[in-house]
Amino acid sequence: MFVAWVAVAATSSAAAADLPGRAIAHDQEKGNCLACHRMPADPGAETGATLGPPLADIKRRYPDRAALRAQIWDASVKNPATIMPPYGRHRILSEAEIDLVTEYIHGL
Amino acid sequence: MNARFALAGCALLAFGASVAAASPEEDRTAFVRTFQQRFPGIALDDYVHGGFMFSRASRSHYDDIMAFPPFLGDIERGKVLWDTPFRNGRTYAECLPDGGRNLAGTYPRFSAAENRVITFEMLLNRCRRDNGEAEYRYDDRATMGVLTAYARSLSDGMRMDIKVDGAAALAKYEEGRRLFFRRIGQMNFACSNCHLDNAGKVMRMETISPAVGQAVHFPVFRGGDELYTLHMRYTRCMMQVRAQPFPAGSEAFNNLEYFHSYLSNGLPLQASVYRR
């Protein structure tokens, strides 16, 4: 049982590490998500950030991927006082990059 | 609703009570009250330690480095600049009241005659100008940077004492205040979003310092050897949020420093400290 869990964890993080959205999310000149978020499911995500909530258990909490994408595109829709940058609205990332980041975050 | 809060949602919540008539003293006490409620048990005098004030471990890391500061050479170079007479034979100490001692904590000041804010660094440059020397650039570490590192140390221990008297002075203060609360740059951040709303939280690996206490300990040496004046640090934070930064020594930063320094009134000055 334990072995199986480790194996699953290893495959899923290996899979996450392969996703092109990961590099965009981690890049300080691009998503820079690690400035504010920990990503407990991705062991390579090195940060001590506490500005935003840890990005975890995402698939269960965002069964609808579009809602996740909308959060990334413009967090101020949900929370007008947010400090999360409006990645889509301010064109910090392109639409295609936001798709890739959404795919990666969805797997966390 | 007061327009200056229109873009600063969190600040509005925290400062709702003081929106109607925010005098500088009301601003300062509102900031202090907000922080002291959020961080009970931390003495106000400890705010000079910025991000290091929050944990014993990071504070002892700071104390270890400050026991043998790697930047003493820079301060020594500043002392040489300070002690070297101008070509007319006069010195900074002769140019400034009381030899420049216990002075930095009263700057920035508003000059009614010029209708502008005068910083301590401008004062040093005026000594140069009035004695026939070229002024230093405000972003030059090798001249103004090290000079101010030494000159400000002559005010170590004095309590910050900024005055905003009269409508014209208040207008400059308010200009600085507006910049502090205005969301800017591609990342859409105001200074207040980090240094008021999120002080004490960690951005990547750095604990964000509260705005109170920031203005009393400059310049800082990041990593132990890279000198930043207060204006250079402002520039860096603006670049981080991908805003077009104002230059060191600009009027926008002078006004920001006026507001920002008032927030630290009553705190002890300590020039030249280590920062990560």
Side-chain angles (χ1 to χ4, degrees), chain B residues 6-225:
Chain B
L7 296 174
C10 293
L12 177 66
L13 295 180
F15 286 71
S18 66
V19 166
S23 73
E25 193 51 21
E26 283 167 332
D27 277 342
R28 191 188 68 79
T29 47
F31 269 76
V32 167
R33 198 181 330 109
T34 303
F35 289 137
Q36 293 213 301
Q37 280 168 1
R38 212 183 296 160
F39 314 122
I42 301 182
L44 204 51
D45 277 2
D46 277 340
Y47 280 54
V48 59
H49 299 305
F52 293 123
M53 76 187 212
F54 295 106
S55 86
R56 196 182 287 269
S58 70
R59 182 59 199 284
S60 73
H61 165 71
Y62 170 83
D63 289 341
D64 285 350
I65 290 183
M66 290 301 285
F68 303 98
F71 47 80
L72 287 180
D74 278 323
I75 300 177
E76 192 50 41
R77 275 185 283 282
K79 183 174 187 325
V80 169
L81 291 183
W82 174 270
D83 287 336
T84 307
F86 306 124
R87 273 165 297 182
N88 65 9
R90 286 173 52 84
T91 64
Y92 291 104
E94 288 163 1
C95 168
L96 297 170
D98 202 10
R101 290 186 183 277
N102 295 328
L103 185 63
T106 63
Y107 282 84
R109 284 188 202 185
F110 176 72
S111 158
E114 300 171 64
N115 190 34
R116 66 192 294 208
V117 167
I118 310 293
T119 64
F120 184 69
E121 284 69 25
M122 286 167 75
L123 193 67
L124 296 175
N125 255 344
R126 285 176 178 205
C127 283
R128 299 186 58 74
R129 186 194 64 193
D130 294 348
N131 287 287
E133 302 286 337
E135 295 187 19
Y136 288 148
R137 287 177 40 152
Y138 291 99
D139 61 356
D140 186 10
R141 292 187 160 99
T143 57
M144 183 57 88
V146 297
L147 176 65
T148 189
Y150 177 74
R152 283 181 175 273
S153 74
L154 300 175
S155 301
D156 279 356
M158 84 173 285
R159 304 256 160 193
M160 189 72 115
D161 184 18
I162 305 300
K163 296 199 164 56
V164 180
D165 291 328
L170 187 62
K172 300 298 178 192
Y173 171 94
E174 298 256 332
E175 238 172 80
R177 185 185 200 281
R178 271 194 296 277
L179 176 54
F180 188 84
F181 282 103
R182 190 191 315 142
R183 284 196 186 241
I184 50 172
Q186 194 184 31
M187 294 303 191
N188 208 34
F189 284 116
C191 313
S192 60
N193 288 144
C194 286
H195 297 294
L196 173 59
D197 306 334
N198 285 292
K201 297 219 179 128
V202 178
M203 192 168 117
R204 195 173 289 270
M205 295 298 182
E206 284 183 306
T207 306
I208 298 178
S209 54
V212 170
Q214 281 182 333
V216 288
H217 60 71
F218 273 79
V220 300
F221 288 84
R222 296 196 66 224
D225 56 10

Side-chain angles (χ1 to χ4, degrees), chain A residues 30-62:
Chain A
K30 293 274 190 181
N32 198 21
C33 314
L34 297 177
C36 298
H37 295 289
R38 301 179 194 222
M39 301 181 179
D42 184 339
E46 275 177 42
T47 178
T50 61
L51 268 174
L55 297 181
D57 202 14
I58 297 290
K59 214 169 264 160
R60 187 182 61 76
R61 294 191 303 112
Y62 289 86

